[in-house]
Amino acid sequence: MSSTGTAQRSAVFAEAPAGSDLLAVPTAQRNGILEMMSMRRDPFAFGDERLARFGQVSGLNALGVKMVIAAGPRAADEVLMNRDKAFANGPAWSYFIGPFFNRGIMLLDFDEHRHHRHILQQAFTPSTLKGYMQEMQPMIAERVADLPTGQVKMFDEFKSLTLDVALEVFLGMELPKDQADKINKAFIDTVRAGVAYVRKPVPGGRWWKGLRGRKILEEFFYENIAAKRARETPDLFSVLCHVEGDEGERFTDEDVVNHMIFVLMAAHDTSTITMTQMAYRMAKAPEWQQQAREQSLELNPELGYDDLAKLSVLDLVLKESLRMCPPVPAQPRMAVKDTSVQGFFVPKGSMVTVPQMTNHRDPEFYTNPDIFDPERFTKERKEDKGHRMAWMPFGGGVHKCIGLYFGQMEIKTILHHLLRDYEWSVPDSYEMPMDYSALPVPKDKLPVDLRRR
């Protein structure tokens, strides 16, 4: 073993309390920027290397903070289920995205989070979701029918479409193209800012662009909130303006704006990434594309809410695509008191992250985990049932994604129309190059040969 390897093995995150049975977290001493660059370049190789060197719990210095990586479903269960309330979302996520998604539902904790989520949940009940589906269906059908053919960058097409869906279903308004483009760019800038290396508002830098994007979004929502308060409409913006808790409590204007900015970001970014992965996998495995198409052709062009469950092939492709590339690659938390993970001491004030992207490739739970194999989710194999945190693209615990059913409804509806009307392919040698610097997106925007059927 090299002297560098020995030095890295000998470092510890923090000494365990004397007399305890806890272990000290082994920690890499390499420069934090280099660690982050390695992680973003290839998170799977990075995870494998750390696992081989340190085991499932290890530490690193990154972006100005000391961080514990708690890998594997068992560690994820300890951190995310948070049974003794040792971990908080807000201080962790706020470090990355706080200035840009201030007081979004994911950044609240404990009693305050429970209060806000209880009210917000009323915007995602089955009856409300059915209303959203009625609203989005005609627009999705029209937009998919108007897709270009030939060499098409599917990521860009999906992103444009999901933003339009979000604007119609969540905002209840049609925007001129220049204003929609401005809003879209503001969201992109706010998302990218969270992983900036330079975390100061240097003009032209990611952090500066993120702050500017947040200001644009705030101005947009505050300009429109009075009209939404004035009358009730089916869109999320109006629902949040009028919804009440059990004792009649309502969101303030500030609450509505904060939740709208966060939900709108989460809705269209994560759906775009998921559909891009699904389109890529079905281009590389055309037999799955054809099986999914056959099911869609058995149904009417316009889906009913109950029809979604009949798209079982698409559901398998969705689950396997989310396994191979979850849109949110990790879940950070902050230890709010001295605690432990898997027998390792974690002191108060430590950042702890659950890397679900690499957890989803754990060979203990998945056969040939690097291979696209939707059948692993069939009732016969049930590979995701080995541990409840073996598959967790929507997070877990009380902070599990509040919009997961909306997202799946939107994704299945769009791909249902796409499958009925088009076929698409990529060259046999094509492998989608990924950028993991923020959310996982294709560097080339996934160019496919899109043909009308």
Side-chain angles (χ1 to χ4, degrees):
M1 181 181 293
S2 69
S3 59
T4 301
T6 302
Q8 290 185 346
R9 279 189 179 278
S10 63
V12 296
F13 191 84
E15 295 293 343
S20 76
D21 294 331
L22 299 177
L23 303 171
V25 175
T27 303
Q29 290 184 318
R30 190 166 68 144
N31 177 278
I33 295 294
L34 295 178
E35 290 282 272
M36 292 303 295
M37 289 175 66
S38 295
M39 183 189 297
R40 293 177 183 181
R41 183 168 54 249
D42 187 343
F44 304 108
F46 178 85
D48 288 345
E49 189 271 338
R50 288 190 71 86
L51 193 64
R53 190 197 306 168
F54 299 119
Q56 289 194 311
V57 180
S58 63
L60 60 80
N61 295 304
L63 297 177
V65 296
K66 292 177 68 177
M67 183 182 300
V68 174
I69 298 178
R74 296 174 186 86
D77 188 74
E78 282 192 59
V79 175
L80 301 185
M81 297 312 293
N82 199 17
R83 294 171 184 84
D84 62 351
K85 296 186 178 180
F87 300 102
N89 254 38
W93 279 109
S94 291
Y95 179 80
F96 296 105
I97 63 173
F100 320 109
F101 296 101
N102 180 46
R103 294 186 60 76
I105 188 66
M106 193 170 70
L107 280 71
L108 304 178
D109 284 293
F110 308 122
D111 289 344
E112 186 178 37
H113 170 261
R114 188 181 304 110
H115 170 72
H116 278 252
R117 188 177 177 105
H118 179 67
I119 300 175
L120 193 57
Q121 191 71 55
Q122 295 178 57
F124 294 98
T125 62
S127 61
T128 312
L129 288 173
K130 290 176 182 178
Y132 295 155
M133 190 165 178
Q134 281 187 318
E135 290 288 316
M136 73 167 74
Q137 190 108 217
M139 188 266 283
I140 287 175
E142 181 181 336
R143 285 294 311 275
V144 171
D146 288 341
L147 285 173
T149 55
Q151 194 74 340
V152 176
K153 293 185 176 180
M154 291 305 294
F155 178 86
D156 288 342
E157 296 299 331
F158 286 142
K159 189 161 185 61
S160 176
L161 178 51
T162 56
L163 180 64
D164 285 349
V165 170
L167 292 175
E168 177 153 325
V169 175
F170 289 168
L171 272 65
M173 56 181 71
E174 290 187 20
L175 299 181
K177 186 177 185 305
D178 59 339
Q179 190 172 12
D181 289 345
K182 182 180 180 181
I183 296 296
N184 193 24
K185 185 176 186 307
F187 275 111
I188 293 171
D189 287 344
T190 53
V191 171
R192 289 174 60 84
V195 291
Y197 288 121
V198 179
R199 306 177 73 77
K200 300 287 184 182
V202 178
R206 278 192 178 187
W207 199 263
W208 177 83
K209 289 179 180 178
L211 293 174
R212 182 186 60 179
R214 169 75 191 199
K215 187 171 185 295
I216 290 170
L217 295 173
E218 284 185 352
E219 289 174 351
F220 172 79
F221 284 110
Y222 278 118
E223 284 172 3
N224 288 283
I225 200 165
K228 291 296 178 181
R229 292 260 191 222
R231 71 186 189 94
E232 294 190 48
T233 50
D235 54 276
L236 178 69
F237 197 1
S238 177
V239 170
L240 294 188
C241 286
H242 296 277
V243 71
E244 295 184 355
D246 293 339
E247 298 179 5
E249 64 272 35
R250 298 175 68 171
F251 285 142
T252 65
D253 285 3
E254 184 180 9
D255 291 334
V256 172
V257 170
N258 288 333
H259 288 314
M260 282 302 303
I261 290 175
F262 179 80
V263 170
L264 197 57
M265 176 277 294
H268 89 278
D269 268 342
T270 55
S271 293
T272 296
I273 291 168
T274 302
M275 286 191 292
T276 302
Q277 286 289 327
M278 293 174 71
Y280 169 59
R281 301 296 173 185
M282 287 192 284
K284 293 287 286 184
E287 67 277 13
W288 282 98
Q289 183 181 150
Q290 184 55 30
Q291 287 181 54
R293 178 174 295 110
E294 288 170 2
Q295 277 194 339
S296 282
L297 290 172
E298 290 174 0
L299 300 173
N300 292 324
E302 182 169 332
L303 290 172
Y305 186 77
D306 294 335
D307 289 330
L308 295 171
K310 300 174 184 177
L311 298 172
S312 58
V313 174
L314 203 54
D315 195 54
L316 293 176
V317 173
L318 169 67
K319 288 180 177 177
E320 178 69 340
S321 298
L322 285 170
R323 183 191 70 83
M324 298 195 77
C325 187
V328 180
Q331 293 285 338
R333 299 291 190 269
M334 184 73 76
V336 293
K337 60 183 179 182
D338 287 354
T339 187
S340 64
V341 176
Q342 293 292 286
F344 288 88
F345 174 61
V346 177
K348 177 181 178 180
S350 303
M351 187 89 78
V352 179
T353 186
V354 172
Q356 64 254 35
M357 178 172 280
T358 50
N359 283 359
H360 281 185
R361 308 243 183 149
D362 190 332
E364 179 182 350
F365 300 96
Y366 294 108
T367 306
N368 298 319
D370 295 330
I371 303 300
F372 177 71
D373 180 11
E375 288 184 346
R376 69 174 82 247
F377 290 100
T378 58
K379 292 179 181 178
E380 292 73 29
R381 287 176 58 181
K382 299 181 183 177
E383 288 194 7
D384 59 319
K385 303 302 182 184
H387 192 288
R388 65 176 170 182
M389 293 293 181
W391 186 82
M392 44 163 289
F394 305 105
V398 298
H399 284 281
K400 192 171 184 177
C401 176
I402 197 169
L404 69 93
Y405 296 111
F406 174 85
Q408 292 178 75
M409 177 179 75
E410 175 188 33
I411 289 164
K412 286 185 176 181
T413 302
I414 291 172
L415 287 176
H416 167 72
H417 286 281
L418 189 68
L419 286 161
R420 287 180 60 90
D421 295 345
Y422 300 89
E423 297 175 350
W424 63 95
S425 59
V426 294
D428 290 342
S429 60
Y430 174 77
E431 298 292 335
M432 187 164 63
M434 295 298 294
D435 176 3
Y436 296 104
S437 63
L439 301 178
V441 299
K443 294 178 182 179
D444 61 359
K445 308 299 178 68
L446 181 59
V448 305
D449 178 23
L450 188 65
R451 306 173 298 278
R452 295 188 188 277
R453 296 185 64 252

